Amino acid sequence: MKSIVQAVEITASRPSLSDNTADLDRLKRSVRQATGHALATCPLPDMAGIAGSFRSAGFQGAAVVRETGRGMEIIRFFPRMPQQLPGMALDLGTTHLEACLVDLWSGQEIARVSREHSQGESGADILTRIHYAERNAGLVQLQRATVSDINAMAADLAGRAGMDPGNIMALGVAGNTAMTHFLLGLSPYHMCREPYIPVANTIDIFPARDLGLKISPGAPIWVAPNVGSYFGGDLLAGIVACDLDLEDQPCMLVDVGTNAEVVLGGRDWLLACAGAAGPALEGGVARMGMRAGPGAIDKLTIDPDSKSLDYSTIGGEPALGICGAGLIDLAAQMYLAGMLDTRGRFRPESMQDRFVADEHNPSFVVVQSEQGGHGQPVMVRQSDINALIRSKAAMYAVLSTLVQQVGLSFKDLGRINVAGAFGRHINPQNAVVLGMLPDLSLDVYRPVSNTSLKGAVLAITDSGCRQRIVDTARRITYMEMNVNQEFMHRFSGARFIPHTDGSLFPSVSRL
């Protein structure tokens, strides 16, 4: 395992009349001797500071260096070998950012933070932000918002670790193509116009000072490559994080965020696609929907006989709303309790006093107002269930189209990795009941949490993983679902609970 930066011990002879080598040349010579590389360099903005630190330390200590392919670049100098070499990894999401501080030597996590993406003030979705970037100084404002968020998170992480953010020695970033462009100040104009070409897919490593990041100024910034406008580095990082690229048997990665992204394959081939199933499954469509955070209902059961409802919230807080995983639980449990028909329509006669009549949009009361965290009931409308049915149909249609595109069936899959907060909270059995995930043995499903962040960690701590991400970008095939007629046909069939073809879901009772 070789991290993106290394610390090498330096013991150099002191200057003398018989050895009048300049300070920085003396350090470079010592770095060459310590690393075995023929070339050692130091960026101009860092020369004075590094040379001063080297002399102040008595020409002994630790040089932090980065291998560039041509030689070693000196980034910092410390008077003694540090106990840890801190690096930061970032999942650059559209609506949500998550970052962690890790020891680059061991890969051990030191601290973790998350926050809403400040870019949301300029548009809730990617397309809105792309258009915003085209107006006046919109792109500059989007970039500043992200840089400000990263600096705030770096300061938060450093504070939790009891250190200065200036001692963070590297940053790894994994995000979708648009978010990467906004971060780097690259125009997304052509990404949403035929033939949909980004400015760059592969980003060369650059120093933190180039973006105004308030970590060590010369810290290398590694940004995950993209495959194209609709397939970003977050998914490539996720593929490596769950070892999908090493599997001998075909497996699958399902990552539900703002969009639903799916990758199928293994060691020999990889096929990917993205769809719009995400927002409803994030809880972002329902009126009482919310992200998976404190107070969100994430687990729910209904007794089919007594119709009594039990639920839990994230953090054990009073219920404020319901996240995507909770919404899936609710719909599946309502179906099994006879409260929903196969079209996902309410059956008022089975809902007792939880039904709220409305000619245009009736509701189901999940939590009464006296138990709600804001003094209001948590309710789910018929339109919310309808949106969920469309989303789950899109998800199942994507999965089934992908496997059949390569002549496989779901039973041929060794594992289905379910990523993100969605994967962390989802009950696969209820997702099967709803007809969102295929009817397979539950041990096939593996929650893998935030694979984008995990991939970013691997990229800065392990050169082998960095290369795997690059190799994956070169060999993956992207499949466009919007023009796929088989997808549209399967989507129509999946807009029922669990499906129009009951034989696809033999474990689910038909009502």
Side-chain angles (χ1 to χ4, degrees), residues 64-82:
V64 179
V65 298
R66 178 179 78 87
E67 189 171 348
T68 65
R70 299 184 303 274
M72 304 303 290
E73 180 179 85
I74 305 170
I75 296 170
R76 286 282 293 276
F77 191 85
F78 294 105
R80 63 188 61 85
M81 184 65 71

Side-chain angles (χ1 to χ4, degrees), residues 125-435:
D125 59 85
I126 290 175
L127 189 59
T128 301
R129 293 185 209 175
I130 287 177
H131 292 317
Y132 182 85
E134 297 168 7
R135 300 194 300 269
N136 300 321
L139 181 57
V140 173
Q141 292 171 16
L142 290 170
Q143 183 185 39
R144 286 176 178 168
T146 301
V147 169
S148 177
D149 281 345
I150 297 174
N151 284 335
M153 297 176 85
D156 193 353
L157 288 168
R160 292 170 186 243
M163 55 173 278
D164 189 285
N167 287 333
I168 297 176
M169 301 308 303
L171 171 64
V173 180
N176 65 47
T177 309
M179 292 302 107
T180 298
H181 276 53
F182 295 146
L183 170 65
L184 301 177
L186 303 176
S187 172
Y189 181 85
H190 294 287
M191 286 176 50
C192 61
R193 293 169 173 84
E194 192 173 349
Y196 314 110
I197 306 298
V199 172
N201 281 330
T202 303
I203 311 300
D204 296 324
I205 290 175
F206 59 91
R209 69 170 65 85
D210 285 1
L211 277 185
L213 295 175
K214 295 179 181 178
I215 60 177
S216 184
I221 310 301
W222 176 90
V223 179
N226 306 303
V227 173
S229 292
Y230 300 106
F231 193 98
D234 51 349
L235 199 53
L236 290 173
I239 290 170
V240 171
C242 66
D243 290 329
L244 187 66
D245 60 317
L246 302 180
E247 296 282 3
D248 292 322
Q249 183 179 3
C251 294
M252 187 175 278
L253 169 64
V254 179
D255 191 350
V256 179
T258 303
N259 289 317
E261 299 165 317
V262 183
V263 185
L264 170 66
R267 183 188 302 275
D268 298 323
W269 55 271
L270 291 164
L271 181 65
C273 70
L281 303 181
E282 273 197 315
V285 171
R287 181 170 62 89
M288 300 299 298
M290 59 184 291
R291 292 185 61 87
I297 297 172
D298 64 333
K299 300 185 187 304
L300 187 148
T301 58
I302 299 176
D303 186 283
D305 297 320
S306 67
K307 313 300 183 186
S308 62
L309 185 151
D310 191 23
Y311 66 88
S312 66
T313 64
I314 298 174
E317 301 287 333
L320 297 173
I322 187 165
C323 69
L327 196 59
I328 289 168
D329 277 7
L330 175 65
Q333 292 292 301
M334 288 180 72
Y335 173 75
L336 293 176
M339 297 177 177
L340 293 180
D341 64 21
T342 57
R343 298 173 301 166
R345 300 291 184 183
F346 287 158
R347 300 178 65 186
E349 67 277 9
S350 301
M351 295 165 63
Q352 300 176 350
D353 59 349
R354 292 183 179 272
F355 180 74
V356 177
D358 183 302
E359 181 181 354
H360 303 290
N361 201 5
S363 300
F364 177 82
V365 178
V366 183
V367 179
Q368 301 290 350
S369 57
E370 55 269 23
Q371 280 102 34
H374 38 41
Q376 302 275 337
V378 176
M379 304 171 67
V380 171
R381 303 167 300 180
Q382 179 66 69
S383 60
D384 300 330
I385 298 295
N386 296 345
L388 176 63
I389 297 299
R390 290 192 298 271
S391 289
K392 78 91 183 176
M395 173 70 80
Y396 187 79
V398 166
L399 302 183
S400 57
T401 300
L402 267 183
V403 295
Q404 294 186 38
Q405 184 75 18
V406 291
L408 298 175
S409 71
F410 287 124
K411 293 181 179 179
D412 296 317
L413 302 182
R415 181 181 293 115
I416 297 179
N417 302 286
V418 188
F422 177 73
R424 185 162 58 245
H425 297 285
I426 190 176
N427 180 330
Q429 186 168 11
N430 281 329
V432 169
V433 168
L434 199 59

Side-chain angles (χ1 to χ4, degrees), residues 34-101:
T35 62
H37 282 265
L39 179 66
T41 61
C42 183
L44 174 61
D46 298 322
M47 288 175 63
I50 288 176
S53 297
F54 181 48
R55 175 170 280 272
S56 297
F59 306 98
Q60 296 184 11
V64 179
V65 298
R66 178 179 78 87
E67 189 171 348
T68 65
R70 299 184 303 274
M72 304 303 290
E73 180 179 85
I74 305 170
I75 296 170
R76 286 282 293 276
F77 191 85
F78 294 105
R80 63 188 61 85
M81 184 65 71
Q83 293 182 336
Q84 291 179 322
L85 201 59
M88 178 177 170
L90 172 69
D91 170 29
L92 183 62
T94 304
T95 58
H96 189 251
L97 305 177
E98 187 169 6
C100 64
L101 191 68

